[in-house]
């Protein structure tokens, strides 16, 4: 495919020729309902239904450690420390010069790159005195820089599963559980991604009167609700407070309700209808009206586990932006952040590979700066004529 390479560190697989009956039926039911068949769900024109590309090899999802770290573990300029939890940054004269571990050991650094994640990175920044001034001073933390955007703008995509009873005589193939995906455009938009709707077979069969289930997951890609991460204590052993704040915006609720209605319609559409033997959750007794679906949605919603935005990137004109376009923290020198916390808005896909791309860019920018600094150092005169 023209938008994909072959030599990168992350292996990608597609089950194009090995779809189970459930996933073959899902594609056919979706196209019968007017949705477009998409050959590349990760391409620029991905609105529609198609086969998921997954970084799964022999049943194991490949994470960044497997893809990047394993091949460089033996480098002499790399030290990997296990069980080394960071308490805070060490900042001298407005510049990060290292990190202090919870053990009391200081690790010196010419440049610190913070990659502690959507919840860990803002917590470390705040324990270091970088964050909302009133919150930090109330905890007795010495203020280094008043940066109100640290911990704010937490974006998480709401997720809801509609569970159906399946015909055990037809739905015998249950693995792989995830093979296909449909991206639905926001109504009235010019192809703006709105919802993910996709079938899986994760739900235990014990939930179904037939002993077999399948479910349709519904997730809102661009939620308007925002949450927040705050410190409960300056003690690094005390977890931060996380307010995901799902479904706070009425638009998010209405969007998810429409997604549930769509999932129900698709499950009853041929050829999926041949697998369908009733609805387990929310259940056939729950109508399609907005009030009924809103009640079950709020009772069963969960996170898509795609959180981002707590140390968000933005221009200097944005008072809530924490880092610039290279991931550098504006308030403190010698410090960058490279994880999903710097995403300014939620991506319309799984953020794992996007986060790896962020890390690659931050590393490339820092390498360019290092080479430029070295080139700017004048050569030492040797006295040779």
């Amino acid at each position: 495919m023209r938008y994909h390479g072959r030599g990168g560190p992350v292996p990608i697989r597609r089950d194009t020729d090995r779809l189970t009956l459930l996933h073959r039926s899902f594609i056919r039911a979706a196209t019968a309902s007017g949705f477009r068949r998409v050959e590349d769900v990760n391409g620029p024109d991905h609105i529609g239904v198609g086969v998921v590309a997954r970084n799964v090899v022999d049943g194991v999802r490949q994470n960044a450690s497997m893809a990047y770290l394993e091949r460089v573990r033996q480098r002499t300029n790399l030290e990997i420390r296990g069980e080394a939890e960071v308490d805070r940054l060490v900042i001298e004269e407005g510049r990060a010069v290292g990190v202090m571990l919870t053990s009391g050991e200081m690790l010196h650094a010419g440049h610190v790159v913070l990659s502690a994640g959507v919840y860990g990175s803002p917590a470390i920044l705040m324990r270091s005195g970088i964050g909302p001034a009133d919150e930090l001073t109330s905890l007795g933390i010495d203020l280094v820089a008043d940066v109100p955007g640290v911990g704010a703008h937490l974006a998480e995509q709401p997720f809801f599963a509609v569970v159906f009873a399946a015909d055990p005589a037809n739905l015998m193939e249950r693995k792989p559980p995830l093979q296909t995906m449909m991206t639905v455009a926001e109504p009235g938009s010019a192809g703006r991604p709105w919802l993910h709707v996709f079938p899986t077979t994760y739900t235990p069969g014990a939930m179904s009167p037939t002993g077999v289930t399948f479910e349709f997951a519904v997730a809102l890609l661009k939620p308007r609700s925002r949450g927040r991460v705050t410190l409960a204590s300056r003690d690094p052993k005390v977890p931060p407070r996380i307010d995901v704040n799902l479904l706070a915006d009425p638009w998010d609720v209405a969007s998810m309700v429409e997604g549930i209605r769509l999932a129900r319609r698709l499950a009853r559409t041929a050829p999926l209808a041949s697998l369908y033997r009733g609805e387990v959750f929310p259940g056939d007794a729950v109508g399609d009206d907005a009030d009924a679906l809103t009640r079950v949605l709020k009772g069963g919603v969960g996170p898509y586990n795609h959180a981002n935005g707590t140390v968000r990137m933005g221009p200097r004109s944005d008072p809530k932006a924490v880092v610039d376009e290279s991931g550098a923290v504006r308030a403190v020198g010698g410090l960058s952040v490279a994880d999903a916390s710097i995403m300014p808005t939620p991506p319309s896909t799984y953020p794992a590979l996007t986060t790896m791309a962020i890390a690659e860019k931050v590393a490339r920018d820092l390498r360019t700066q290092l080479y430029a600094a070295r080139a700017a150092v004048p050569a030492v005169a040797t006295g040779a004529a």
Side-chain angles (χ1 to χ4, degrees), residues 73-317:
R73 281 184 179 273
Q74 304 307 316
R75 286 185 179 178
T76 58
N77 63 345
L78 173 65
E79 180 184 357
I80 301 172
R81 301 276 295 270
E83 305 298 326
E85 184 178 359
V86 173
D87 175 6
R88 57 184 173 83
L89 303 160
V90 179
I91 301 170
E92 296 179 359
E93 298 180 352
R95 184 175 183 84
V97 296
V99 296
M100 185 68 70
L101 303 183
T102 55
S103 64
E105 179 185 2
M106 178 182 172
L107 302 180
H108 296 270
H111 192 102
V112 176
V113 179
L114 190 57
S115 298
V118 175
Y119 305 122
S121 286
I124 292 172
L125 287 172
M126 286 187 284
R127 287 198 300 268
S128 307
I130 306 168
D134 54 346
E135 294 181 23
L136 302 188
T137 55
S138 70
L139 293 171
I141 298 173
D142 292 335
L143 185 66
V144 171
D146 182 10
V147 186
V150 174
H153 311 292
L154 170 59
E156 175 61 279
Q157 297 160 331
F159 177 96
F160 187 88
V162 186
V163 182
F164 305 102
D167 181 352
N170 285 332
L171 192 58
M172 293 181 288
E173 295 178 281
R174 299 185 61 79
K175 294 183 179 181
L178 173 61
Q179 290 185 302
T180 52
M181 172 73 67
M182 184 164 71
T183 303
V184 183
E186 182 181 336
S189 74
R192 174 182 167 86
W194 184 38
L195 298 170
H196 272 171
V197 179
F198 56 96
T200 69
T201 51
Y202 289 115
T203 302
M207 287 188 63
S208 168
T210 67
V212 181
T213 62
F214 69 94
E215 63 272 359
F216 274 13
V218 178
L220 179 61
L221 300 178
K222 297 290 187 181
R224 297 179 181 177
S225 305
R226 291 294 183 268
R228 188 172 183 84
V229 176
T230 56
L231 289 183
S233 168
R234 63 186 300 174
D235 183 351
K237 296 298 184 182
V238 177
R241 297 190 186 98
I242 301 170
D243 179 12
V244 182
N245 205 28
L246 293 176
L247 303 180
D249 191 293
W251 184 86
D252 294 358
V253 176
S255 296
M256 288 293 289
V257 165
E258 285 303 313
I260 295 171
R261 289 169 175 161
L262 173 58
R264 286 176 146 182
R265 290 196 301 271
L266 287 171
R268 296 173 173 87
T269 301
L272 280 172
S274 65
L275 306 178
Y276 174 85
R277 292 297 179 270
E279 185 175 293
V280 175
F281 181 76
D284 293 323
V286 177
D288 254 1
D289 61 285
D291 289 342
L293 289 181
T294 295
R295 284 193 295 271
V296 297
L297 169 65
K298 290 187 173 181
V301 70
Y304 206 3
N305 292 322
H306 295 166
N308 58 86
T310 52
V311 186
R312 81 174 188 188
M313 177 187 297
R316 288 191 178 277
S317 58

Side-chain angles (χ1 to χ4, degrees), residues 146-148 312-333 335:
D146 182 10
V147 186
R312 81 174 188 188
M313 177 187 297
R316 288 191 178 277
S317 58
D318 181 357
K320 294 294 184 70
V322 183
V323 304
D324 66 13
E325 71 280 0
S326 66
V329 177
R330 287 203 169 93
V332 177
L335 176 61

Side-chain angles (χ1 to χ4, degrees), residues 343-354:
M343 294 180 182
T345 57
S348 299
T349 185
Y350 303 115
L353 297 184
T354 308

Side-chain angles (χ1 to χ4, degrees), residues 58-73:
D58 296 328
V60 178
R61 189 176 185 184
Q62 305 297 293
N63 59 28
S65 175
M66 297 172 183
Y68 289 87
L69 194 57
E70 290 301 325
R71 63 183 65 194
V72 298
R73 281 184 179 273

